[in-house]
Amino acid sequence: MAILGALNPMLSVGLDGDNAWRLADYVKRGGYTALRRILEEKLPQGDVINEVKKSVLRGRGGAGFPTGLKWSFMPRSFPGDKYVVCNSDEGEPGTFKDRDILRYNPHSVIEGMAIAAYAMGAARGYNYIHGEVWEIYQRFEEALDEARAAGFLGSDLLGSGFNFDLFAHHGYGAYICGEETALLESIEGKKGQPRFKPPFPASFGLYGKPTTINNTETFASIPYIINLGGETYLEAGKANNGGTKLFSVSGHVNRPGNYEIPLGTPFATLLEMAGGMRGGRQLKACIPGGSSAPVVPAAAMMDCTMDYDSISKAGSMLGSGAVIVMDETTCMVKALERLSFFYYEESCGQCTPCREGTSWLYKVVHRIEHGKGRPDDLDLLSSVTTNIMGRTICALGDAASMPVQSFIKHFRDEFAYHIEHRKCLVPVDVQRAGSGFFTATV
Amino acid sequence: MEIEIDGKVAHVPDGSTIMDAAQQLGAYIPHFCYHKKLSIAANCRMCLVQVEKAPKPLPACATPVTNGMRVFTHSELAVKAQKGVMEFLLINHPLDCPICDQGGECQLQDLAVGYGGSASRFHEDKRVVFHKDVGPLISMQEMARCIHCTRCVRFGQEIAGVMELGMASRNMHSEITTFVGRSVDSELSGNMIDLCPVGALTSKPFRYSARSWELSRRKSISPHDSIGANLTAQVKNNVVLRILPRDNEDINECWISDKERFSYEALNSPARLRKPMVRVDGALREVDWNVALDYVSHALKDVVSNSGAESLAALASPQATLEELYLLQKLTRGLGSGNIDFRPRRRDFSADSKLGGVPWLGLKLSEIKDLDAAVVVGSFLRKDHPLFAQRLRQLAKKWGKVSLLSVSGDDPLIKLHAQVTVSPAELPLALAAVVKAVAQLKGEAVPAGLEAVKPCPTSESIARSLLEGNKRAIFLGNAAEQNPHAAQLHALASELARLTGASCGFIGEAANSVGGYVAKAFPTALNAYEMFAQPRKAYILLGVEPELDCHHPQQAVAALKGAALVVSLTSFSDGAARDYADVLLPIAPFTETSGSFVNTEGRLQSFNGVVRPLGDSRPAWKVLRVLGNLLGLPGFDQDSSEQVRDEIVPAGEGFVDGLNNSINGVPLSLPAAVGFLQRVADVPIYFADPLARRAPALQKTHDAVAPTARMGGQTLQALGLTDGATVRVWQASGEAVLTVRVDEAVPAACLRIAAAHVSTAALGDMFSAINVERA
């Protein structure tokens, strides 16, 4: 993938594929000026946090929690270590933006983390990069070496007396390690299993110390906020949805890839940037925020603008900004089967409803897809999802349930047809034609 | 904090959880993963309750109480959540209750009655989980029953100090397992069986022998280590089929060691002696009690009248009851002999006449958790005192600084503040270094005799830990009591206690190590070592197997073989006593007699028999009482063990009087070095007493492998030996042939050879010079 297009971009300005990721290129683009200014002017920590608050930067990892507010939860006068942690464990199906940020603009993340560490008084940071992107982990290590050599990391940054050490840590590919407390456990060398909250990481995080965890894109946006000022950043997007965002568009479009657009841009514009629907087919449905977000049918989706509030009004979530586009050749049962398999596979197995429930969901959807559905299966599925949702330690249980609920809600007929006729409503040859992979006809 | 649960109001301290508050109110919230002694996991989700203003049900075990919180444990929302969780727990559970060993005492079964559906909505294939072999004690044959509560995992990490079980894999394929191919070897492992809320971890020796509702539960007290763990013996058809811990927060909490849990197998062993036996024409013959006792009384009278009373000696096990020890010493003294002892593993008795009172722990077990620092001198902590070590482990995890000065670098699985490992002969020197460091730190005069000692940084750091905080303690372990310089160690520890204000005491070797003093079963003439070094004409042995239990077994056996009369009161017929004893009297082990033990903190605990004596065996106190009558001695008219006890401790249950660890008139002087090679002898946990030795399951564990000659790599090199070589080892008297093993935990110039095993019974002193050569 690559960053294929942008509207009024910030993060992707001046990027030139693999040729502009080095420190020198970043500095040429104006990099590290924000950090330098903060350190030279000895900007009060509160001012930095206020600037981020003003920008209404919302967490880019999926939950959309205001970043400035999160930073202000860190205890100010804690004696001892505090940590900032970057969550680059980008495991959500459909999401592939963080790896491009780390690949093409790694120094923006380093600078953002250093600013965050300054604002929260942390002296140590970790960037947890997921296991499947080894070459990106290696590139980030290289970028770290550059930053250390240039004095942007280490002790006494640019002679300011502020110390910040940053380390990269690569995972081994478990989706659950993208959950912030599981990620902390994993850094600590334990099995990646989410912790029960409270206590929250801001009071009991990495090694039991106050810790703030933000997404890669969130950290990458920080230098731009400091440079432009919070208000200007906010205005780049729309009210309550500050700035621009990278969207990973995949599925039945002509040009799948990452696109940076201001929040509030109409979905239709994004779809157009991505080259429109493949083969000129009709949009059937769209998952607007990564596989955990509820599916939105075509009509509702076309009315949406790409921001937290509009998508939420349509009954889904902006999530991580992974836009999965499905056209009319898609069998919704098969699509759900694949999604359910993912959550069943990736449940950490720690708490009962998720461990047992996700496998049950998958087994039932699998059965329906394979012509062995029972009349009461749809009620069973919705009952099982209610028994999972809100009863688990982390959000994976909810994430596994929401697709099931929304698929059944919007495409109940298709599921009912499957159960009754023991086959797809969308004929198999149509599905294969739409897939773009099958050439033979049935 | 005020909290209302189902309309009832409770006041709990800040930081409490809803579960804590519910327990205070006596309100039951269903749960599996929660356990009062383990960390909170909140993974079973069974304890979900409704909290006012919370949109979702919250787990009671992990949700902190906030002021004014209102909780509903039986509201529609709560019960729906609980039933939902129960359905999830049951979908992959095999529901094989009729053939499950846990049936009838299963938390899942019990709660399923209240929260489970009558029919399943799950029509798919159930999860299959392979069985695991983790050793002879815990069965993991039916792991499909596991509900992943991780109690066993947390027990290992937090209580046993070693994570032997973990949850591997993820999603519904997660399973509890050991590291590939390993077994579970913790000396506390059996507690995981109790903790398991389902039938996944079951007791291998007990499996399929009875249903829980067929068993009667009877109270008992552990006869093994000095803690005096409270037990529940489960009995069916007059046979003890299982031993479980009985909660006593002040003693064993809710745990027992594997030795206490699985030794019961020996009670039903075919090796039990069922009838009295008397040697006739060189062979032991079964006889009736009256014949045997008549024989014994006449023989004893003969010895006393022909050779004098001093030619008689009596040796008892420190695991005998208070009543037995008392009657034995009364009988021996009644016959005119002061040769009575209950400490067969001791070498140095020079402190006996200098003691201020009955030596004991120096504080209550329940006070250990409040200590700021503790120093343990001379102990194989984990194996000698599993539950005592567990208390120190918890202490070290909180704030306490625990240091260990010992003769082996074995990992106690305690986060130690400092560790000093020296040879047995250097142990007084190591302790003296701490004493001197304390004196120097306090700016006080260095105690006389310690002028030449040079404290090292480690001893200084131990000294500092003993000078900080309010409550500190010094504990002398088994290897200190059995050390040839035990009196010096006692005197040094007392001096250290005086200088630091810490308490000083003995952890105690066995169930009645304190009780023996209370019963006055200590010598007024020859002690346990001298009575064999200077062979006597006649011996009475009570529950003791000198060939394994004595400091110098070879010398003991030689003396016994040469004696005119050996009367052994024993529960077993298979020991070496068959060779040297003239009379074997079958006595009842702790489950078949009433009696009392005084534990290390001086707590008197009386117990009743839980089953009738096997065969013709009789409680030893009755045997001794009748023998006293037959010998015409006064004061043998008791009708019950309680009457005997009341003679010794008129106050009855509670703490005994006269506990005092002071020692007077032992000048501090440091022992000379022993030659190049010195023996270090531990008493392996499952060879330590006659019951454990005969428990088949325990004998299959890794802790029960035959002893080897272990030494550090440097010592090995200096001797020109190689790992795995067969060697002949010999002491001033006695020799054995063993395999050499490298063990870096053994101090330099030492050879570690375990005691209490037949293969080393021919050796001499536990801690003295030893020689080795290639066999």
Side-chain angles (χ1 to χ4, degrees):
Chain A
M1 291 297 164
I3 300 175
L4 296 182
L7 272 181
N8 306 325
M10 290 189 219
L11 275 173
S12 51
V13 169
L15 298 188
D16 179 19
D18 268 342
N19 304 317
W21 65 272
R22 293 208 169 264
L23 179 73
D25 304 309
Y26 183 62
V27 170
K28 222 180 284 167
R29 294 198 295 272
Y32 287 111
T33 47
L35 178 64
R36 195 182 286 277
R37 184 164 67 85
I38 288 172
L39 292 177
E40 277 167 6
E41 293 175 14
K42 300 220 183 305
L43 217 62
Q45 295 175 328
D47 288 9
V48 179
I49 296 181
N50 272 339
E51 211 56 48
V52 177
K53 276 187 180 166
K54 270 191 249 166
S55 76
V56 199
L57 171 66
R58 295 174 62 167
R60 300 301 196 221
F65 193 83
T67 304
L69 191 60
K70 194 186 228 179
W71 288 12
S72 63
F73 291 154
M74 284 286 270
R76 282 285 169 82
S77 52
F78 182 83
D81 292 341
K82 288 189 264 186
Y83 296 98
V84 288
V85 174
C86 177
N87 184 347
S88 303
D89 191 68
E90 189 180 39
E92 181 88 353
T95 315
F96 40 83
K97 62 186 179 67
D98 293 341
R99 70 162 108 164
D100 275 0
I101 294 173
L102 291 175
R103 181 186 279 156
Y104 302 128
N105 205 1
H107 285 285
S108 64
V109 179
I110 297 174
E111 187 182 3
M113 288 189 75
I115 294 169
Y118 175 86
M120 291 179 279
R124 196 172 267 260
Y126 292 94
N127 185 11
Y128 189 101
I129 301 169
H130 77 132
E132 294 93 328
V133 290
W134 178 254
E135 69 283 7
I136 282 164
Y137 164 75
Q138 282 177 315
R139 172 166 297 183
F140 191 72
E141 286 279 20
E142 251 186 273
L144 284 177
D145 287 342
E146 286 184 329
R148 282 188 200 112
F152 293 119
L153 289 176
S155 49
D156 193 17
L157 258 59
L158 306 173
S160 64
F162 169 63
N163 306 324
F164 179 59
D165 277 318
L166 177 58
F167 303 96
H169 183 107
H170 79 89
Y172 279 93
Y175 172 63
I176 195 61
C177 289
E179 199 281 341
E180 58 180 16
T181 52
L183 183 148
L184 297 180
E185 291 278 300
S186 181
I187 294 182
E188 289 180 15
K190 301 175 192 156
K191 188 176 178 188
Q193 287 186 334
R195 298 175 184 167
F196 180 79
K197 286 162 279 185
F200 291 95
S203 55
F204 188 94
L206 188 62
Y207 302 110
K209 307 291 183 194
T211 304
T212 288
I213 302 129
N214 282 125
N215 172 255
T216 319
E217 191 184 350
T218 311
F219 279 125
S221 305
I222 297 296
Y224 301 94
I225 291 171
I226 300 299
N227 281 332
L228 295 168
E231 272 137 28
T232 317
Y233 184 85
L234 171 60
E235 281 159 19
K238 74 180 230 190
N240 197 32
N241 293 270
T244 62
K245 171 148 185 34
L246 276 169
F247 285 91
S248 309
V249 183
S250 63
H252 297 146
V253 292
N254 281 318
R255 272 169 27 105
N258 284 316
Y259 296 89
E260 184 181 359
I261 52 172
L263 286 170
T265 308
F267 170 70
T269 313
L270 180 64
L271 193 57
E272 206 174 297
M273 287 171 78
M277 298 301 294
R278 200 161 58 192
R281 294 195 187 88
Q282 285 296 306
L283 177 69
K284 181 175 190 175
C286 175
I287 302 175
S291 63
S292 311
V295 67
V296 181
M301 197 63 217
M302 291 310 287
D303 291 340
C304 283
T305 55
M306 296 310 288
D307 59 78
Y308 295 94
D309 299 332
S310 171
I311 301 284
S312 170
K313 214 178 285 171
S316 187
M317 316 186 301
L318 189 70
S320 58
V323 180
I324 302 171
V325 178
M326 291 176 270
D327 71 15
E328 59 200 337
T329 66
T330 312
C331 169
M332 296 315 270
V333 181
K334 197 177 186 78
L336 180 62
E337 185 205 9
R338 187 62 193 80
L339 287 177
S340 293
F341 179 75
F342 176 80
Y343 290 104
Y344 148 64
E345 194 47 32
E346 295 294 343
S347 164
C348 82
Q350 182 182 201
C351 67
T352 308
C354 175
R355 178 185 63 239
E356 308 293 344
T358 51
S359 77
W360 196 357
L361 289 179
Y362 166 66
K363 284 175 177 171
V364 175
V365 179
H366 178 79
R367 205 176 58 201
I368 297 173
E369 167 64 18
H370 287 82
K372 290 182 180 155
R374 300 158 182 241
D376 51 0
D377 272 352
L378 295 183
D379 295 337
L380 176 66
L381 283 174
S382 82
S383 158
V384 172
T385 54
T386 24
N387 281 344
I388 299 174
M389 285 182 81
R391 304 199 180 151
T392 50
I393 290 177
C394 76
L396 194 141
D398 290 12
S401 303
M402 283 187 294
V404 177
Q405 289 187 342
S406 62
F407 270 72
I408 294 177
K409 180 177 160 200
H410 296 302
F411 301 95
R412 196 176 179 95
D413 291 352
E414 222 172 298
F415 283 83
Y417 183 91
H418 240 291
I419 292 170
E420 200 181 329
H421 298 94
R422 308 196 175 276
K423 60 178 185 183
C424 298
L425 181 63
V426 181
V428 176
D429 54 340
V430 175
Q431 284 182 41
R432 290 188 175 174
S435 76
F437 295 105
F438 280 85
T439 44
T441 49
V442 182
Chain B
M1 293 277 174
E2 191 181 294
I3 176 175
E4 187 188 305
I5 298 179
D6 297 335
K8 284 187 278 185
V9 175
H11 295 272
V12 291
D14 199 1
S16 305
T17 62
I18 298 176
M19 188 69 91
D20 297 332
Q23 294 205 322
Q24 190 189 317
L25 285 172
Y28 180 73
I29 299 174
H31 60 265
F32 295 107
C33 70
Y34 168 81
H35 189 274
K36 60 185 176 185
K37 290 283 179 190
L38 302 176
S39 66
I40 303 291
N43 62 28
C44 77
R45 314 309 278 182
M46 193 62 208
C47 67
L48 290 172
V49 292
Q50 183 182 359
V51 177
E52 194 180 55
K53 294 197 191 99
K56 307 188 282 191
L58 297 174
C61 69
T63 307
V65 172
T66 54
N67 207 17
M69 190 181 242
R70 291 182 70 201
V71 175
F72 308 95
T73 65
H74 288 93
S75 64
E76 201 188 320
L77 180 77
V79 171
K80 193 166 174 287
Q82 291 158 2
K83 286 189 169 172
V85 171
M86 178 54 80
E87 181 179 32
F88 284 135
L89 286 172
L90 293 181
I91 58 172
N92 274 307
H93 187 81
L95 301 175
D96 57 346
C97 307
I99 56 149
C100 175
D101 215 43
Q102 190 89 349
E105 51 180 5
C106 173
Q107 257 175 293
L108 186 64
Q109 195 180 32
D110 293 350
L111 287 177
V113 175
Y115 299 90
S118 50
S120 176
R121 299 192 290 168
F122 183 77
H123 303 291
E124 331 304 322
D125 292 338
K126 291 200 183 212
R127 165 174 57 226
V128 174
V129 186
F130 261 63
H131 59 275
K132 282 108 192 156
D133 185 2
V134 296
L137 305 180
I138 300 177
S139 163
M140 291 174 76
Q141 282 292 307
E142 299 90 3
M143 289 311 289
R145 293 174 187 152
C146 174
I147 58 167
H148 307 86
C149 71
T150 68
R151 276 183 179 187
C152 54
V153 178
R154 285 174 284 146
F155 174 85
Q157 290 171 313
E158 295 159 22
I159 308 295
V162 52
M163 185 177 168
E164 292 181 306
L165 289 178
M167 197 161 86
S169 304
R170 63 183 187 214
N171 59 53
M172 67 167 264
H173 297 299
S174 6
E175 50 185 298
I176 298 293
T177 179
T178 54
F179 186 79
V180 185
R182 296 266 179 89
S183 53
V184 173
D185 299 324
S186 162
E187 66 283 353
L188 295 171
S189 67
N191 293 299
M192 296 181 195
I193 300 166
D194 296 344
L195 286 173
C196 184
V198 296
L201 308 185
T202 53
S203 162
K204 238 180 210 179
F206 172 72
R207 268 160 76 85
Y208 304 132
S209 56
R211 282 304 205 174
S212 68
W213 57 84
E214 301 169 332
L215 297 164
S216 34
R217 306 166 72 88
R218 296 180 184 156
K219 292 179 181 178
S220 192
I221 302 292
S222 163
H224 301 285
D225 73 17
S226 58
I227 301 298
N230 288 197
L231 309 177
T232 296
Q234 297 200 318
V235 175
K236 178 185 169 187
N237 298 336
N238 204 45
V239 176
V240 176
L241 287 181
R242 181 159 67 168
I243 297 279
L244 295 175
R246 182 155 52 87
D247 276 23
N248 189 331
E249 204 48 37
D250 292 335
I251 301 174
N252 52 313
E253 302 165 79
C254 54
W255 318 120
I256 53 173
S257 66
D258 289 356
K259 180 159 72 168
E260 282 150 345
R261 184 182 301 269
F262 296 109
S263 280
Y264 76 88
E265 280 194 289
L267 301 169
N268 316 319
S269 148
R272 278 288 300 275
L273 180 64
R274 286 156 188 267
K275 271 181 87 74
M277 298 180 99
V278 173
R279 195 173 295 276
V280 183
D281 300 332
L284 286 165
R285 298 237 180 108
E286 289 190 352
V287 294
D288 285 338
W289 268 106
N290 54 355
V291 177
L293 289 174
D294 232 33
Y295 179 90
V296 172
S297 73
H298 280 108
L300 284 174
K301 276 186 206 160
D302 281 355
V303 169
V304 170
S305 58
N306 294 341
S307 315
E310 66 278 10
S311 62
L312 166 70
L315 183 64
S317 158
Q319 278 153 335
T321 66
L322 188 69
E323 293 78 357
E324 291 161 3
L325 290 168
Y326 174 75
L327 290 178
L328 179 67
Q329 66 85 23
K330 196 168 185 177
L331 185 120
T332 313
R333 295 208 161 91
L335 287 168
S337 171
N339 307 333
I340 162 87
D341 210 339
F342 70 104
R343 302 160 298 176
R345 289 216 169 277
R346 290 273 192 117
R347 177 68 185 84
D348 178 13
F349 298 82
S350 58
D352 273 10
S353 56
K354 316 282 195 325
L355 294 176
V358 174
W360 68 301
L361 189 63
L363 43 61
K364 304 261 161 58
L365 286 166
S366 58
E367 290 174 298
I368 292 175
K369 64 176 186 300
D370 304 321
L371 291 173
D372 293 296
V375 175
V376 179
V377 182
S379 180
F380 300 90
L381 256 180
R382 267 174 72 200
K383 303 300 174 185
D384 287 350
H385 306 285
L387 289 174
F388 183 83
Q390 191 273 131
R391 282 191 183 260
L392 289 180
R393 187 170 299 132
Q394 303 312 320
L395 173 68
K397 235 194 269 179
K398 282 190 289 181
W399 56 72
K401 292 179 175 164
V402 180
S403 307
L404 181 59
L405 260 74
S406 193
V407 294
S408 136
D410 290 0
D411 185 0
L413 303 178
I414 295 171
K415 203 178 96 200
L416 289 177
H417 169 67
Q419 184 169 17
V420 176
T421 306
V422 293
S423 73
E426 288 167 328
L427 195 57
L429 196 69
L431 186 55
V434 179
V435 176
K436 184 158 177 180
V438 165
Q440 286 174 342
L441 281 170
K442 288 188 75 185
E444 289 193 17
V446 174
L450 306 187
E451 293 80 5
V453 179
K454 289 196 187 68
C456 66
T458 314
S459 36
E460 274 163 12
S461 128
I462 297 174
R464 262 191 297 278
S465 78
L466 278 175
L467 287 169
E468 289 162 6
N470 297 319
K471 259 188 110 166
R472 292 130 302 155
I474 301 152
F475 300 111
L476 292 161
N478 294 2
E481 286 195 58
Q482 295 156 3
N483 193 287
H485 313 291
Q488 266 308 311
L489 288 167
H490 188 175
L492 283 163
S494 297
E495 181 62 15
L496 186 57
R498 186 189 67 77
L499 282 166
T500 57
S503 73
C504 159
F506 294 89
I507 311 175
E509 290 172 279
N512 231 351
S513 283
V514 173
Y517 289 97
V518 176
K520 302 202 162 40
F522 52 85
T524 36
L526 300 183
N527 57 48
Y529 194 81
E530 293 164 337
M531 67 174 69
F532 296 118
Q534 303 160 33
R536 303 288 99 190
K537 282 265 175 335
Y539 291 95
I540 306 174
L541 304 173
L542 171 61
V544 70
E545 297 178 318
E547 65 278 10
L548 300 171
D549 288 333
C550 279
H551 190 85
H552 192 325
Q554 191 263 350
Q555 165 184 288
V557 172
L560 289 165
K561 282 192 173 152
L565 173 69
V566 177
V567 180
S568 177
L569 285 76
T570 174
S571 299
F572 297 99
S573 61
D574 61 342
R578 287 195 84 89
D579 298 333
Y580 56 68
D582 300 288
V583 184
L584 292 173
L585 300 178
I587 57 165
F590 77 107
T591 45
E592 299 169 15
T593 177
S594 56
S596 313
F597 292 127
V598 182
N599 81 352
T600 182
E601 54 175 355
R603 186 191 294 265
L604 178 74
Q605 299 190 97
S606 293
F607 55 92
N608 288 318
V610 298
V611 289
R612 286 190 306 277
L614 186 75
D616 276 356
S617 47
R618 292 288 174 267
W621 72 267
K622 285 189 181 171
V623 176
L624 291 164
R625 202 215 75 149
V626 174
L627 209 49
N629 293 149
L630 288 174
L631 289 164
L633 300 173
F636 284 86
D637 315 313
Q638 302 88 346
D639 290 330
S640 67
S641 69
E642 286 79 8
Q643 279 183 19
V644 183
R645 184 193 68 203
D646 293 346
E647 256 178 61
I648 317 163
V649 198
E653 298 240 353
F655 291 92
V656 297
D657 296 328
L659 301 172
N660 187 340
N661 282 320
S662 66
I663 178 168
N664 302 302
V666 176
L668 301 183
S669 75
L670 296 171
V674 176
F676 170 62
L677 207 52
Q678 194 183 1
R679 179 179 176 197
V680 175
D682 58 315
V683 181
I685 181 165
Y686 302 138
F687 302 155
D689 59 66
L691 285 176
R693 278 170 208 148
R694 293 176 175 84
L698 290 178
Q699 291 309 315
K700 286 182 208 143
T701 61
H702 284 300
D703 273 325
V705 295
T708 50
R710 290 148 71 180
M711 61 184 101
Q714 282 192 327
T715 316
L716 188 82
Q717 235 169 15
L719 289 166
L721 294 170
T722 47
D723 188 39
T726 307
V727 290
R728 188 176 76 91
V729 293
W730 74 99
Q731 292 178 275
S733 55
E735 66 166 77
V737 174
L738 296 165
T739 308
V740 169
R741 288 279 170 237
V742 175
D743 179 355
E744 296 302 342
V746 179
C750 286
L751 185 53
R752 176 165 165 179
I753 299 176
H757 191 265
V758 274
S759 65
T760 60
L763 283 169
D765 279 359
M766 290 170 72
F767 304 100
S768 71
I770 191 163
N771 305 290
V772 59
E773 67 174 22
R774 200 178 287 272

